[in-house]
Structures are given as structure tokens and as C-alpha cells.
Amino acid sequence: MKPNEGEMTLELEVLKWDGAGLIPAVVQDAAGEVLMVAYMNREALTETLSTGFGTYYSRSRREMWRKGETSSHRQKVLELRLDCDLDCVLLRVEQLGGACHTGHYSCFYRKVEDGKLVFTA
Amino acid sequence: MKPNEGEMTLELEVLKWDGAGLIPAVVQDAAGEVLMVAYMNREALTETLSTGFGTYYSRSRREMWRKGETSSHRQKVLELRLDCDLDCVLLRVEQLGGACHTGHYSCFYRKVEDGKLVFTA
């Protein structure tokens, strides 16, 4: 494949927003650790791209969620990818502090082992 | 925190299934590369845990999706995690072949750069 084959200008409307106007966003750090999954609306994606910091839409609070606005645990975006179906975003970020509201670095701090949910180191 | 503090038996009903009975599942390989995001229903999660291979629910085909059943690109599960809110699954897998139906190893083969959607190496 030639380097720029299929290159296209990103238009918000090419993304497959769900019925609520949202798209899931997976967030991982530079080392590959998955930190969290959140949701973006058009405004959040636009703001993430323009500011360079992870911005989401909080489904529970029903408002824009500028990650780290109150905790200072911001996410500096290193790269933003889209999947084949254009229905999911992948962010690679530099995570300041922890990503999880529980204080853990990653929200995925529990694993399933022998039918039990156990804390990881 | 003591090693087993908060350890609990995993009951399917503690997970926060959405209105359609689904939960998103992020799939990454052992090196941390995110391969795809799919959805699981209770049956798919149960089957993933019992067989050790990534099994999902296809929203488009409205049926169980035993990843690799036709392509042989199966996903051997190395670890299964849950997030803080119990509304998302994270699988670490050994990916046989490519994860994406387009033939790419990962579904996230395009990144956004200067407002354009470009193929990654």
C-alpha cells in the first residue's frame, strides 16, 4: 500500500455515532497499559483534537468531562486512532496522576481468576 | 491493601450490562497493542471464560461471534480484567493471524494527524 493511499480529511460525520450521539474511546498509556474506557460526543472529540487533552462526555453526569479539570489528572494526547468501522476511538496518552477515580492508575485493576474477581498488584 | 482484600466471586449479575444486555470488551495483545473493541453478552463472557478463547456478540449479525471460527484468527485469552465500574471488560490475548476483518493485525490502523485520517505503518 502506498503511504498516503486512502488518506482522507476527517469529517465528524464519517464516524458512526450511536443513537445518543456517542462513541466509545479506549485510553491507553505510551507503554500500552489500558487506563479506561469513556465516551465522546462530537464536541468532546473536537475539543480533544484542538486542545490535545483527553475530553469526554459523562453519561452519568450528562455533561462534558474535561478529564483532570478537578483532579488535575489530565491526559496529554500522544496519538488518536480510529478503528476500521469508524465506531471507536483509541487514544494514546501521557497520564498525569491516576486515570481512575478510585485512585488506581488504571481502571482495570481487577482481574478474573478461577471465577473470582481479584485485585492485581 | 492486603492481597485478597475485596476479593469476590464473579457473578454475572454484578456487571453493568447495558439496555441490550451487552458490555464492551477491549482486546489487546501481550505487548499492549489494542486490537479491537467488541461486545459481549452474558453468554459470550461465560463462553470466553470457559473456553479460554475470545467470544463476542455480533450486534450487526445479532448472533454469537466465536472470533476466528471461520477465519481461524482466534484469540487465546491470557488475562481478563474488569474496570472499576464493572461496565467494561479488558482481554489480553494471543492473537492468531490478524484481528481485523480488513486483514490488518489491529482494527486501529488509522490515526488522525493534522485533521486527516492516515494509515499507520
Side-chain angles (χ1 to χ4, degrees):
Chain A
M1 186 178 294
K2 293 169 192 165
N4 294 329
E5 189 177 336
E7 181 177 303
M8 57 185 277
T9 301
L10 177 69
E11 301 285 352
L12 285 180
E13 292 318 313
V14 303
L15 300 193
K16 297 203 185 109
W17 306 95
D18 71 11
L22 302 177
I23 200 167
V26 178
V27 185
Q28 67 175 165
D29 70 9
E33 182 165 359
V34 174
L35 304 174
M36 56 183 255
V37 171
Y39 292 82
M40 289 182 170
N41 58 11
R42 291 165 176 79
E43 184 183 355
L45 177 57
T46 300
E47 192 169 314
T48 295
L49 288 168
S50 64
T51 66
F53 286 94
T55 306
Y56 311 95
Y57 178 80
S58 168
R59 297 179 301 169
S60 54
R61 296 194 306 271
R62 299 186 184 182
E63 61 180 20
M64 290 290 288
W65 172 26
R66 296 177 179 87
K67 175 76 178 159
E69 195 171 40
T70 54
S71 68
S72 82
H73 294 177
R74 300 210 293 171
Q75 297 174 328
K76 185 177 178 186
V77 178
L78 306 175
E79 190 177 77
L80 191 150
R81 293 187 177 222
L82 291 170
D83 76 342
C84 52
D85 293 329
L86 297 171
D87 63 4
C88 191
V89 172
L90 174 62
L91 292 174
R92 196 171 277 254
V93 305
E94 178 188 340
Q95 174 67 54
L96 309 177
C100 187
H101 72 287
T102 61
H104 291 86
Y105 178 64
S106 163
C107 292
F108 294 92
Y109 54 86
R110 289 175 296 191
K111 64 178 170 181
V112 177
E113 208 169 61
D114 299 328
K116 288 189 189 303
L117 195 55
V118 300
F119 285 84
T120 56
Chain B
M1 186 179 291
K2 293 170 193 166
N4 293 329
E5 188 176 335
E7 180 176 305
M8 57 186 278
T9 301
L10 177 69
E11 302 285 353
L12 284 181
E13 293 317 314
V14 304
L15 300 194
K16 297 203 186 112
W17 306 95
D18 72 12
L22 302 177
I23 199 167
V26 178
V27 185
Q28 67 176 165
D29 71 9
E33 182 164 358
V34 175
L35 304 173
M36 56 182 256
V37 171
Y39 292 82
M40 289 182 169
N41 58 10
R42 291 165 175 80
E43 184 182 355
L45 176 57
T46 301
E47 192 168 313
T48 295
L49 288 169
S50 66
T51 66
F53 286 94
T55 306
Y56 311 96
Y57 178 80
S58 168
R59 297 178 302 170
S60 54
R61 296 194 307 271
R62 298 183 184 184
E63 62 181 19
M64 289 291 287
W65 172 26
R66 294 176 182 88
K67 175 76 180 161
E69 194 170 42
T70 54
S71 68
S72 82
H73 294 177
R74 299 211 294 171
Q75 298 174 328
K76 185 176 178 187
V77 178
L78 306 175
E79 190 177 77
L80 191 151
R81 293 186 178 222
L82 291 170
D83 76 342
C84 51
D85 293 330
L86 297 171
D87 61 6
C88 192
V89 173
L90 173 63
L91 292 174
R92 196 172 277 255
V93 306
E94 178 187 341
Q95 174 67 54
L96 309 177
C100 187
H101 72 287
T102 62
H104 291 85
Y105 178 63
S106 163
C107 293
F108 295 92
Y109 54 84
R110 290 175 295 191
K111 63 178 169 180
V112 177
E113 209 168 60
D114 299 329
K116 288 191 188 301
L117 196 54
V118 300
F119 284 84
T120 57

